[in-house]
Amino acid sequence: MKTKFNRRQFSALLGSTAIFAPAIVRAQSDRMRQFEGTTLNMLAVQFAHHDPLWNQIAEFEELTGISVNIEFAPFENTRERTLLDMSSRTGRYDLFTVDIMWLAEYAAAGYLEPVSQYLSNPDLTAEDYDVNDFISRVYSGTGVYDDTMYNVPYDCGTVGNMFRSDLIESAGLTVPGRFDGSFTAEAMREICGTLMENNDGLAGYVTGPQRWFWGWMFTPYLYAWQDASNVGNEFVNADWEVTIANDNNLAALQYYLGLRDFTPADDLNYGYGEQLAVYQQGNAGGSITYSGFIGSHYEDPALPVAGKNVALHTPIGPSGRTDPFFGSWGLSISVDSQQKEAAWFFIQWITHADRLTRAAVGGAPAVRHSTFQNPEVQEAQPWGFDLYDYMVNRANPDERIRVPEWAEISEVMGLYGNRAWGNEISAEEALLGMERDMSAAFRRGGYYRDGANNPPQLWRDLSYYDRSPSDWG
């Protein structure tokens, strides 16, 4: 029979005399080997910047005797493949990597296992697994839906822009700084136009207007263009009436469409990969990006653009607002898994501060206070440290509003946005189409029925996400 100790007993053992050292070692070994022979299957999004984390799995397997099989899916196919398995209730996968924008959809459908019961179990969770070391908005913003924790973060960041600082300097312009107030909408257009004029054959800017990408590539502009009176009503008002066809959003869409003055002529169906390739090959002065991608997609020493970039945010809008965009990924347990305890044992091991900091030194994004504050991480990712204050105080986890209908909302944005990019319809027609189809989605979801129990609009008061991580169980 295996010997188990709770945290208080284990601490007492550690404080006892050295004669008990062999017993302590055996107890720790028993704890680590309690699921020996188990196999866990995980469906994970395929991102190079996650590799420094997954590369540590072999160490976990050696320590525990648990085998972890990972099946990777491209970003644009991850939701489809995940939902296919979840809805079939096969339990084929024990673990899923879950993007924040799909959490409400998965959790509301009952596909994810709440994790508080495992987090509080000393046999499954190491005593030094400090949840309060996670940044509050990252922890709850990635994992909480309907006051329940489902998804443990391992990646967070913001959408922004990458520009060629060397070309900006050679053009006689001042290189903007991230969050210093200088990168405005006007400054962005000036940089794009100047780089295009000064460099024959260079696109001033490149983005991804393909239908699938509007939910995260255009949304930051939508937020940055709001005036003070309309903040919070970017998509819906307090009564859940869709308000996307407002004047602020029209100005944002017109600005975004105006970037076509600088982009490649054949970019209508560019996704993230296509636009990235243009920038990596030195054929564009600026590119949309996600901060987590910087190390692998822009600053890899093998790339010709490495060391020549400046990471910036979405341009500041006409009312002086900086977009508070927040993106993240976490690890969730399938409610149909037959190995839930072993799956949690893996999650708490791989998202321990030691593993996450080691991964960040290798280029993965930081999600814990201690990781951001680590000198080795700061040296390895000089572009990442200024995101610390942003994630603590400014990021909005609910920017892509946390409703089960978000994927449909994003699809609607892409349908009409792409048509506007191709000059098939006007910006006004695009927003009216979005408003009509989004309203239909909420109507089908029952939001307008008498007595509807609609979710709280947490983006209006971010104090919900500032609660201590330990408050969630």
Side-chain angles (χ1 to χ4, degrees):
M1 180 176 179
K2 295 181 178 178
T3 304
K4 293 187 176 181
F5 298 94
N6 63 34
R7 296 185 190 190
R8 181 176 55 80
Q9 292 168 328
F10 195 76
S11 296
L13 277 173
L14 290 176
S16 65
T17 60
I19 195 172
F20 293 107
I24 296 173
V25 171
R26 285 195 301 274
Q28 178 65 2
S29 177
D30 284 349
R31 179 183 173 277
M32 293 303 295
R33 308 294 294 192
Q34 61 184 302
F35 300 109
E36 186 170 4
T38 299
T39 297
L40 297 174
N41 295 305
M42 176 167 66
L43 181 61
V45 65
Q46 189 167 33
F47 282 147
H49 67 284
H50 293 166
D51 289 348
L53 187 63
W54 306 143
N55 289 343
Q56 300 177 62
I57 289 177
E59 180 183 345
F60 173 79
E61 292 177 322
E62 183 176 354
L63 284 169
T64 65
I66 298 172
S67 297
V68 181
N69 296 328
I70 306 182
E71 192 171 328
F72 290 104
F75 177 45
E76 58 268 28
N77 301 129
T78 301
R79 174 177 171 270
E80 178 184 6
R81 289 193 54 188
T82 299
L83 280 176
L84 179 63
D85 183 78
M86 288 178 169
S87 61
S88 65
R89 314 308 295 256
T90 65
R92 175 185 175 188
Y93 298 106
D94 304 287
L95 296 150
F96 296 101
T97 58
V98 174
D99 191 314
I100 178 180
M101 62 180 170
W102 303 323
L103 175 64
E105 180 181 14
Y106 298 169
Y111 295 148
L112 303 180
E113 175 79 359
V115 299
S116 60
Q117 60 182 310
Y118 307 110
L119 184 63
S120 61
N121 185 334
D123 293 325
L124 301 176
T125 305
E127 187 172 11
D128 63 348
Y129 186 77
D130 183 6
V131 294
N132 287 329
D133 185 41
F134 285 100
I135 295 170
S136 293
R137 290 191 185 185
V138 174
Y139 190 78
S140 57
T142 302
V144 172
Y145 177 72
D146 195 22
D147 298 337
T148 303
M149 185 70 189
Y150 294 98
N151 192 35
V152 180
Y154 65 89
D155 173 351
C156 74
T158 181
V159 168
N161 291 284
M162 191 67 75
F163 273 88
R164 289 285 299 276
S165 58
D166 60 331
L167 298 182
I168 295 174
E169 289 176 342
S170 65
L173 300 177
T174 300
V175 178
R178 187 156 58 170
F179 305 130
D180 70 0
S182 64
F183 188 60
T184 62
E186 295 80 7
M188 180 171 172
R189 283 194 63 89
E190 180 185 16
I191 291 170
C192 291
T194 302
L195 296 188
M196 198 167 180
E197 291 169 8
N198 288 13
N199 300 273
D200 186 40
L202 185 83
Y205 187 70
V206 63
T207 185
Q210 189 186 101
R211 282 179 54 174
W212 202 88
F213 292 92
W214 280 73
W216 71 269
M217 289 194 179
F218 170 62
T219 297
Y221 289 86
L222 183 152
Y223 273 82
W225 257 250
Q226 302 307 308
D227 60 38
S229 66
N230 205 48
V231 170
N233 299 324
E234 293 84 359
F235 287 98
V236 295
N237 64 19
D239 296 320
W240 289 95
E241 297 169 329
V242 178
T243 55
I244 197 167
N246 65 56
D247 290 341
N248 294 153
N249 291 347
L250 177 59
L253 182 54
Q254 288 171 333
Y255 178 89
Y256 190 61
L257 295 174
L259 295 176
R260 291 175 298 184
D261 294 342
F262 316 113
T263 63
D266 63 347
D267 66 351
L268 180 62
N269 290 310
Y270 277 18
Y272 178 76
E274 291 82 3
Q275 66 89 32
L276 174 66
V278 171
Y279 186 88
Q280 287 179 331
Q281 293 161 12
N283 295 324
S287 163
I288 195 164
T289 190
Y290 172 69
S291 60
F293 297 153
I294 293 175
S296 56
H297 292 181
Y298 297 87
E299 294 298 343
D300 185 317
L303 294 171
V305 297
K308 302 175 182 178
N309 307 301
V310 57
L312 301 168
H313 45 72
T314 300
I316 299 170
S319 297
R321 189 173 190 221
T322 303
D323 165 58
F325 192 96
F326 174 96
S328 65
W329 286 84
L331 274 169
S332 290
I333 301 172
S334 169
V335 74
D336 296 306
S337 169
Q338 300 301 306
Q339 310 286 350
K340 293 185 178 70
E341 289 192 346
W344 171 257
F345 198 63
F346 170 73
I347 289 177
Q348 63 87 35
W349 188 89
I350 201 71
T351 61
H352 187 281
D354 291 347
R355 263 68 71 184
L356 289 175
T357 297
R358 196 187 313 169
V361 172
V367 297
R368 286 177 173 268
H369 293 286
S370 61
T371 304
F372 269 109
Q373 295 166 353
N374 186 284
E376 288 185 77
V377 175
Q378 294 171 20
E379 182 179 357
Q381 299 192 49
W383 59 84
F385 183 66
D386 58 1
L387 288 179
Y388 183 38
D389 175 71
Y390 178 91
M391 287 298 164
V392 171
N393 297 306
R394 288 185 268 175
N396 177 4
D398 220 348
E399 180 164 301
R400 292 170 289 182
I401 57 177
R402 190 157 301 188
V403 293
E405 293 78 13
W406 172 257
E408 187 173 357
I409 290 170
S410 180
E411 288 281 351
V412 167
M413 292 177 71
L415 169 64
Y416 291 101
N418 180 261
R419 292 177 65 191
W421 193 274
N423 284 314
E424 183 182 342
I425 58 176
S426 68
E428 292 87 348
E429 290 171 324
L431 289 177
L432 288 172
M434 293 179 196
E435 187 161 289
R436 181 182 59 250
D437 288 6
M438 290 178 189
S439 297
F442 283 119
R443 190 170 295 108
R444 287 192 298 273
Y447 286 71
Y448 305 136
R449 289 199 293 261
D450 289 343
N453 185 25
N454 295 332
Q457 296 185 353
L458 298 173
W459 61 85
R460 298 183 185 277
D461 181 5
L462 293 176
S463 63
Y464 180 88
Y465 296 109
D466 288 327
R467 290 168 56 180
S468 172
S470 57
D471 287 349
W472 301 109

